[in-house]
Amino acid sequence: MDHPPESDLGHLSSGISPTSSQSLTKTVNGSHSFVIQGYSLAKGMGVGKHIASENFIVRGYHWAIYFYPDGKNPEDNSAYVAVFIALASEGTDVRALFVLTLFDQSGKGKHKVHSHFDRSLESGPYAL
C-alpha cells in the first residue's frame, strides 16, 4: 500500500476536510386563459355540473381547470360559482401557488381568487 508523501500528512492530520452540498428547488411560472363563451347560458346548468378547460402544460406538468357555474355542492344553493384546478399528471410530486383571476363579461371589474397549496399535490382536483 502506498503512503502519501510526507508533505501531505500534515493536511490529513489537521482535521476534517471541508465538505459541502446543495439542494436546488426550481420555480416555474406559467399561465392559461380559459374563456367561457356564452357564460349566461351555462348559468343554471345545475349544481355539481362543470365546464372543463382543455388540459394545458406548465413545464411538463399537465393541468386542467374545472368551473362550476352553479357551485359544486347543494349547500351552495347556486349562489356561488366554484373553480377547481386539477393536476392531471400521474405520479408526480408538485407544490404550487395558484392565482386565478375571474373577469366579468363587461370588463368593468375583476375578481381575484388566490390560494396557496402548502403541501404536495397528487392527481385530482383541488378547490381554490
Side-chain angles (χ1 to χ4, degrees):
M1 180 161 106
D2 291 335
H3 293 289
E6 203 57 42
S7 61
D8 289 343
L9 289 176
H11 172 71
L12 292 175
S13 63
S14 67
I16 299 171
S17 60
T19 62
S20 67
S21 65
Q22 68 177 353
S23 172
L24 177 62
T25 303
K26 293 183 180 178
T27 302
V28 178
N29 293 319
S31 65
H32 181 77
S33 178
F34 179 35
V35 178
I36 300 172
Q37 298 288 343
Y39 169 76
S40 60
L41 298 174
K43 191 72 176 156
M45 66 189 282
V47 173
K49 295 185 178 178
H50 69 272
I51 300 166
S53 72
E54 295 290 330
N55 279 4
F56 56 95
I57 299 173
V58 176
R59 192 60 179 246
Y61 295 105
H62 294 259
W63 303 88
I65 296 172
Y66 295 94
F67 180 72
Y68 294 77
D70 296 312
K72 187 171 187 317
N73 301 311
E75 57 269 17
D76 294 337
N77 295 322
S78 298
Y80 303 99
V81 301
V83 181
F84 290 77
I85 190 158
L87 174 62
S89 296
E90 296 291 333
T92 57
D93 183 16
V94 178
R95 292 192 320 161
L97 169 68
F98 295 98
V99 177
L100 291 183
T101 305
L102 305 176
F103 293 94
D104 70 13
Q105 202 172 22
S106 69
K108 293 179 182 175
K110 67 179 182 180
H111 308 280
K112 185 179 282 188
V113 178
H114 179 224
S115 181
H116 179 223
F117 290 109
D118 197 7
R119 57 187 171 76
S120 294
L121 299 179
E122 298 170 357
S123 295
Y126 292 87
L128 299 182

